[in-house]
Amino acid sequence: MSRVFLKALGVSAALGGMFLANTSKSSASDDAIHPPHLHWSHYGAMSGFDYHSVRRGFEVYRTVCASCHSLERITWGNLVGTALTEKEAKEYAADTEYPDDPDSQGEPRTRPGKLSDKLPAPYPNEQAARAANNGALPPDLSLMVKARHSGLDYLFFLLTSYVNPPAGSPEKPGLHYNPYFPGGWIAMTQALHEDGIEYEDGTPASISQMAKDVSIFLNWAAEPEHDVRKRTGIKVMVVLGVLGATSFYWSKTKWIVPKLRRVVSTRD
């Protein structure tokens, strides 16, 4: 039995070594800097999104990012009460044309958007997207925070860290150097520039401020239920605490007599 156990242990150790070796090779081949951890205000157990930042982040997305990247999981209605008021969302939606049922002659028609419509994609299909971006396909941003390791930190540093390539590094036409991107070369050019937009609330539009706001907006887009989930969790913990305290009280007061009662048989 001990030999079987030792053999199994040896096989497990070998497999673990192979996994770690492959992981280290993969990490080394990425040639990317791991982003440092930032302390975002909504990371606390009882903290929610900064919706002023979410609103500003939508401004950045609509002005800068939406020309190349889609948000296919988000509707105009999702933005109500977070990034937009209901009136604003309806106006934005109405300014966008969506395909409608054909007319009586079979000709295609369009209609103004509604709150239930998804945000429009910048390109009609993948081929058009690649043709407009030198063969690169701009990813959908709906779940980008979830799709990348250290997602929120990664997005912030990716957007703020375009630099010149290291000395001696060969130039790659059509690509731009960013040390936080795996491999170091990315097809997306630097999108954020000082005072690139004008915030409606007067916040200075520095590169770091815009990167922070759009990162928080994309974090919200990846999990719009974030704040509701936390509030529900707090309510559940309070209810469980009250039920637990009540059960403990009944156990120590009401059930103590039955628990300590002895049944003595007088039968010979």
Side-chain angles (χ1 to χ4, degrees):
M1 184 69 179
S2 59
R3 289 183 179 180
V4 175
F5 174 75
L6 290 175
K7 288 181 179 180
L9 184 62
V11 171
S12 299
L15 292 175
M18 292 172 60
F19 174 77
L20 291 175
N22 290 334
T23 302
S24 63
K25 288 180 181 178
S26 175
S27 298
S29 65
D30 283 344
D31 190 25
I33 301 175
H34 186 77
H37 177 65
L38 301 177
H39 297 283
W40 301 90
S41 61
H42 60 277
Y43 271 6
M46 302 181 68
S47 303
F49 284 118
D50 176 2
Y51 284 100
H52 294 292
S53 186
V54 171
R55 182 179 175 88
R56 291 194 300 268
F58 175 69
E59 289 186 60
V60 177
Y61 168 77
R62 183 174 62 86
T63 306
V64 180
C65 310
S67 59
C68 295
H69 297 276
S70 60
L71 272 179
E72 62 182 21
R73 295 171 60 90
I74 300 299
T75 67
W76 293 109
N78 292 140
L79 298 172
V80 174
T82 53
L84 299 173
T85 64
E86 183 175 355
K87 179 181 178 181
E88 290 170 333
K90 287 181 177 180
E91 289 176 352
Y92 280 126
D95 288 339
T96 307
E97 296 291 327
Y98 288 87
D100 198 4
D101 295 332
D103 60 19
S104 59
Q105 303 300 319
E107 295 296 326
R109 296 188 302 179
T110 59
R111 59 169 176 79
K114 302 177 293 186
L115 291 181
S116 58
D117 290 318
K118 295 180 179 179
L119 270 64
Y123 305 105
N125 50 57
E126 179 180 333
Q127 290 76 12
R130 290 188 182 276
N133 292 278
N134 296 320
L137 179 63
D140 179 78
L141 299 182
S142 300
L143 297 175
M144 186 55 63
V145 171
K146 300 293 186 181
R148 298 292 184 267
H149 182 63
S150 302
L152 198 52
D153 299 327
Y154 168 80
L155 285 180
F156 177 82
F157 284 102
L158 181 75
L159 292 171
T160 58
S161 301
Y162 282 85
V163 295
N164 293 324
S169 178
E171 292 287 341
K172 296 187 178 183
L175 299 179
H176 310 274
Y177 187 74
N178 191 309
Y180 288 96
F181 187 76
W185 295 93
I186 183 172
M188 182 179 74
T189 186
Q190 181 173 354
L192 302 180
H193 303 276
E194 291 290 334
D195 299 319
I197 68 171
E198 184 176 349
Y199 283 130
E200 63 177 6
D201 63 1
T203 301
S206 64
I207 292 178
S208 59
Q209 182 66 55
M210 290 186 288
K212 171 195 171 186
D213 291 335
V214 76
S215 297
I216 291 178
F217 169 72
L218 292 177
N219 195 166
W220 169 83
E223 44 182 347
E225 77 290 347
H226 174 275
D227 290 3
V228 175
R229 185 177 67 241
K230 283 189 176 180
R231 287 195 296 267
T232 302
I234 292 172
K235 293 175 182 178
V236 170
M237 295 303 295
V238 170
V239 171
L240 291 178
V242 172
L243 292 176
T246 303
S247 300
F248 181 79
Y249 170 79
W250 276 84
S251 175
K252 295 299 182 181
T253 57
K254 304 300 181 181
W255 290 100
I256 193 68
V257 175
K259 287 171 64 176
L260 297 179
R261 180 179 298 162
R262 297 178 59 192
V263 178
V264 178
S265 176
T266 57
R267 183 179 302 172
D268 294 335

